[in-house]
Amino acid sequence: MKTSPLVIGNWKMNPTSVSLAKKLASDLKKRLARMTGTDVVIAPPYPYLETLRAVRSESKSFALGAQNVHDEKQGAHTGEVSIPMLESFDVTHVIVGHSERRAAGETDTEVNRKLLSVVKSGLTAVLCVGETKRDHAGHYLTTVEGQIRAALSSLGKAKLGAVVIAYEPVWAIGTGENATAADVHEMRLFIEKVLADIYGRTYATRVRILYGGSVNAKNARELFVEGTVRGFLVGGASLKAGEFIDIINATRT
């Protein structure tokens, strides 16, 4: 099944003010108005969602994403944000299992609960998987497979199309080092194989597999073409409108 490429900008805890967020979103909207062929999602910090929704308006130039979510709809969960809250801001994509969340203590069980809640609500779950280091014995493949199987536990094949998988090797996030196109290609094939083992090949091919890890304007095209991924989860480079647009352009055929 052919699908459009997808590029997600994860702003993390940036920028430092709502005025800067509005300026960046407005710049992106203007540049994206002249582009087609690639789906774009911006995941800003929670306080900026309303600002980005207002900037986006009816342009449909980009969709809104969230960087995390709680699996419960409401309750005594201080500091958390629920899916209904995100839906009120027109959020369509939710990142789950990001390596920074896992490093802070998030477990595979929590990732699974969040993913199931997101998919059940009708939103798209962006599942992040990746190893902390590579080894010659290939144990990193076992790590990624374990993350996928745990996160998708109890998810029926009919809902698999609501999942995007972003491969983000932890050793390449924010380090300036990135996996080679050959590394990315190998992992894309492996992830698809794991999905096929669980759901069958027909359903496995419905999942868009992205790469995230020090993606920039210089390496994006090679990673996209030779890495055979369907797009990117972009961190720091998504805070620079020009570079982010160049990365999006790299996914256009």
Side-chain angles (χ1 to χ4, degrees):
M1 183 175 70
K2 291 186 177 180
T3 56
S4 301
L6 170 65
V7 178
I8 302 173
N10 177 14
W11 286 5
K12 304 190 179 184
M13 201 168 68
N14 301 290
T16 56
S17 69
V18 68
S19 60
L20 289 174
K22 182 177 182 179
K23 182 178 184 299
L24 176 56
S26 298
D27 193 359
L28 287 172
K29 175 185 175 181
K30 181 178 180 181
R31 294 169 185 250
L32 288 169
R34 301 187 294 269
M35 300 176 63
T36 58
T38 297
D39 297 330
V40 178
V41 175
I42 305 297
Y46 296 132
Y48 301 155
L49 282 171
E50 176 57 30
T51 297
L52 264 68
R53 182 173 69 161
V55 168
R56 174 179 177 268
S57 186
E58 299 300 320
S59 70
K60 308 296 183 184
S61 54
F62 59 85
L64 286 175
Q67 298 175 18
N68 186 35
V69 73
H70 197 278
D71 62 285
E72 296 288 345
K73 292 185 177 180
Q74 62 182 50
H77 306 291
T78 301
E80 297 289 348
V81 173
S82 71
I83 290 173
M85 293 175 185
L86 296 178
E87 289 177 318
S88 69
F89 291 102
D90 299 333
V91 166
T92 56
H93 293 67
V94 181
I95 299 172
V96 296
H98 192 279
S99 62
E100 291 164 357
R101 301 295 306 179
R102 293 180 189 268
E106 188 168 271
T107 66
D108 283 339
T109 299
E110 290 173 314
V111 173
N112 174 243
R113 290 204 303 262
K114 291 180 181 184
L115 184 143
L116 294 177
S117 295
V118 170
V119 171
K120 183 179 180 180
S121 72
L123 304 183
T124 297
V126 181
L127 170 63
C128 297
V129 298
E131 75 279 7
T132 56
K133 61 181 180 180
R134 287 224 162 189
D135 60 275
H136 296 297
H139 295 305
Y140 62 93
L141 296 174
T142 303
T143 297
V144 171
E145 179 174 3
Q147 291 173 339
I148 293 172
R149 289 185 178 275
L152 300 183
S153 178
S154 300
L155 180 73
K157 61 175 63 176
K159 296 291 187 179
L160 190 59
V163 175
V164 171
I165 295 182
Y167 168 57
E168 46 160 27
V170 179
W171 49 268
I173 298 175
T175 63
E177 182 180 3
N178 61 279
T180 66
D183 292 335
V184 175
H185 177 64
E186 174 198 47
M187 188 58 76
R188 198 276 297 169
L189 291 174
F190 179 74
I191 290 173
E192 194 168 280
K193 178 183 180 300
V194 173
L195 293 174
D197 288 344
I198 302 171
Y199 297 101
R201 183 156 186 80
T202 298
Y203 287 90
T205 55
R206 297 180 182 181
V207 178
R208 285 192 280 194
I209 299 172
L210 316 181
Y211 172 71
S214 297
V215 179
N216 56 53
K218 293 182 179 179
N219 62 24
R221 184 62 181 173
E222 181 182 3
L223 289 170
F224 181 74
V225 175
E226 298 183 21
T228 66
V229 289
R230 294 306 298 152
F232 301 108
L233 175 61
V234 185
S238 67
L239 297 168
K240 304 172 184 177
E243 184 160 15
F244 189 54
I245 293 299
D246 286 342
I247 292 172
I248 295 169
N249 272 323
T251 67
R252 300 173 71 189
T253 57

